[in-house]
Amino acid sequence: MFRRLLALLFLTVLAAGCGSPPQTGSVIFFHPDGTSSANWAIARAALVGPDGQLNWDKLPAMAVYTGHMADSVTATSNGGATTHAYGFKVASDAYGTWGSPGHPLIVDRNGKSMSIAHQAMAADLPVGLVQTGTSTEPGTGCFVTSVSSRKEHEPIAAQLIESGCAIMLGGGEKYYLPKGVKGRHGTGVREDGRNLIDQARKAGYTVVFTAEELAAVPVTTDKLLGLFADYHTFNDQPEEVLAEKNLPLYDPDAPTVAQMSDKALQILSRKGKRFLLIVEEEGTDNFGNNGNARGMIEALRRADEAFGVMRTYIAKHPDTLLISAADSDGGGMRMRGIHVPDGQPIPDRLPATDRTGAPIDGIDGTGTAPFMSAPDKAGQRHPFLIIWPGYDDVSGGILVRAEGLNSDKVHGMMDNTEIPKLMHRTLFGHDAPKAAPRPK
């Protein structure tokens, strides 16, 4: 009897020690580039009122993001994206590599890529890339390509086609066609004579060029390439330049980031396998860098619409992690309210600069009327202006937001290196392998 009790106790302790295996699931990483909490405050005021709630506001998990590079306190787009893809501090000029000097690859001790996307594909999990800029943008490109400079668009495009990604949606058609060959949106620029669109079709990809064509793609499609613009799907220039050229903020024939994300989720989830989806709204960075406040607010609206699509998916598939962060604040866009005394009219023109010389934007650019917020809970609309510190990306005010599986791990402070580590634990149930030392 004593032996039986002892055996039972041993088995109980053993079972308790083993525990249940960690839960795994799919991952959506959304990078609304260039956005800080200050940008989302502007979007909130403009779109739903200063005390309203955006989809971004409804994400339950939050952490303060720290995002310095190995050689700078402010991230570059390519260095930040490489860190999000690999989980290591890299040099500012890195693009899927350690960066200067020599741009060595980031591999494990067996020589295999440490990129979360490459590891997913090695495990036969489908990967999707969604981009509103040119598909060679680092926010998505760094996950599957490695070059010595972000300006190497042609090699990046070739590596994208050869990467094995199930879905690739974005702009940049010109980098997929030989020089002088006419495409749907413009003319090719490749010097090597390769027609990557033909190569993609031969490799089994369905190729689409417009929002209408994307909408018609059946969810049974296994491999999808979308090229929706010659370069970006938006026109990232100041308001005055767009008005002079009669150009829209976004190409009306191109799909939005929400439409691309929705189609990608339908296709990736169809077979019931875990997947990795990397999404970037690039307009939120580029309009900020070009001092276009109206364009920035429209880009934020589109990004928030995509958050709505993703949150709807998470509600139906709670075994999926949605995690989101920017790597820096594009242009440092800030909002300043305008106090108008009772009985006084709202000014119809704003000054070009404030007392420090910082540029000021109104609703149509320099020297125009102020923006008006959406109504607050009291039904009041409030005038405000946008002020810019400069062209470049700046640091600070970035938040990590998350929902779904393992989102409880997002709290306090979260370094940029921790984001791919959480994605890896969610996809595979364990930590990523150790990296080989960086070559000297």
Side-chain angles (χ1 to χ4, degrees), residues 86 133 222:
Y86 289 84
D222 288 325

Side-chain angles (χ1 to χ4, degrees), residues 85-136:
Y86 289 84
F88 301 97
K89 299 286 185 185
V90 298
S92 297
D93 65 348
Y95 192 114
T97 69
W98 284 108
S100 294
H103 296 272
L105 298 178
I106 307 172
V107 297
D108 66 18
R109 297 177 190 275
N110 295 314
K112 296 180 179 179
S113 173
M114 291 290 292
S115 158
I116 183 66
H118 283 142
Q119 292 177 49
M121 286 188 284
D124 198 32
L125 302 181
V127 171
L129 306 177
V130 167
Q131 172 67 256
T132 60
T134 171
S135 59
T136 57

Side-chain angles (χ1 to χ4, degrees), residues 52-63:
Q53 277 197 317
L54 300 164
N55 290 311
W56 183 82
D57 293 316
K58 296 173 185 177
L59 294 163
M62 181 189 307

Side-chain angles (χ1 to χ4, degrees), residues 75-392:
T76 60
S77 291
N78 43 293
T82 301
T83 301
H84 290 158
Y86 289 84
F88 301 97
K89 299 286 185 185
V90 298
S92 297
D93 65 348
Y95 192 114
T97 69
W98 284 108
S100 294
H103 296 272
L105 298 178
I106 307 172
V107 297
D108 66 18
R109 297 177 190 275
N110 295 314
K112 296 180 179 179
S113 173
M114 291 290 292
S115 158
I116 183 66
H118 283 142
Q119 292 177 49
M121 286 188 284
D124 198 32
L125 302 181
V127 171
L129 306 177
V130 167
Q131 172 67 256
T132 60
T134 171
S135 59
T136 57
E137 276 289 332
T140 47
C142 283
F143 281 81
V144 295
T145 73
S146 299
V147 293
S148 59
S149 170
R150 65 172 297 175
K151 296 179 181 179
E152 296 178 31
H153 297 282
E154 294 171 41
I156 294 168
Q159 289 183 41
L160 284 169
I161 292 300
E162 297 159 359
S163 69
C165 284
I167 296 174
M168 293 176 285
L169 306 176
E173 181 196 38
K174 64 183 179 179
Y175 300 122
Y176 291 76
L177 292 171
K179 188 174 182 178
V181 172
K182 185 171 176 55
R184 290 283 293 274
H185 305 291
T187 304
V189 298
R190 293 192 67 84
E191 298 285 352
D192 61 6
R194 294 176 65 181
N195 188 318
L196 299 181
I197 295 175
D198 284 349
Q199 288 184 219
R201 289 193 174 106
K202 290 176 183 176
Y205 284 91
T206 297
V207 185
V208 294
F209 298 93
T210 66
E212 185 178 8
E213 290 177 3
L214 178 67
V217 171
V219 297
T220 54
T221 300
D222 288 325
K223 300 170 77 174
L224 177 62
L225 172 66
L227 295 170
F228 303 113
D230 185 54
Y231 190 53
H232 296 322
T233 66
F234 47 81
N235 295 300
D236 52 343
Q237 298 177 68
E239 298 94 325
E240 298 81 5
V241 174
L242 296 185
E244 181 182 338
K245 295 181 178 179
N246 196 28
L247 290 173
L249 294 173
Y250 280 81
D251 184 342
D253 293 326
T256 66
V257 65
Q259 291 168 331
M260 287 190 276
S261 298
D262 187 39
K263 181 63 74 171
L265 287 169
Q266 290 178 44
I267 293 173
L268 291 172
S269 63
R270 176 178 58 87
K271 294 183 179 179
K273 296 172 64 174
R274 302 192 308 281
F275 63 81
L276 172 65
L277 176 61
I278 310 297
V279 180
E280 177 166 75
E281 172 54 69
E282 180 62 21
T284 43
D285 187 53
N286 288 27
F287 280 116
N289 289 144
N290 283 278
N292 187 326
R294 187 161 57 89
M296 185 69 167
I297 291 172
E298 172 59 15
L300 286 160
R301 184 194 69 76
R302 288 167 175 248
D304 198 58
E305 182 184 25
F307 273 121
V309 168
M310 295 167 189
R311 295 195 71 238
T312 298
Y313 182 87
I314 295 288
K316 297 176 182 177
H317 303 86
D319 59 342
T320 301
L321 169 67
L322 166 60
I323 186 166
S324 176
D327 53 51
S328 57
D329 183 345
M333 177 187 190
R334 295 298 182 267
M335 171 174 62
R336 192 177 80 201
I338 299 172
H339 174 66
V340 179
D342 288 345
Q344 297 296 312
I346 296 171
D348 58 4
R349 288 180 65 84
L350 294 169
T353 64
D354 77 347
R355 286 180 293 178
T356 68
I360 287 175
D361 255 359
I363 193 166
D364 289 314
T366 304
T368 61
F371 290 90
M372 295 296 295
S373 77
D376 63 15
K377 288 182 179 178
Q380 295 295 315
R381 300 184 69 200
H382 304 275
F384 65 91
L385 58 81
I386 297 299
I387 194 163
W388 300 97
Y391 170 88
D392 295 317

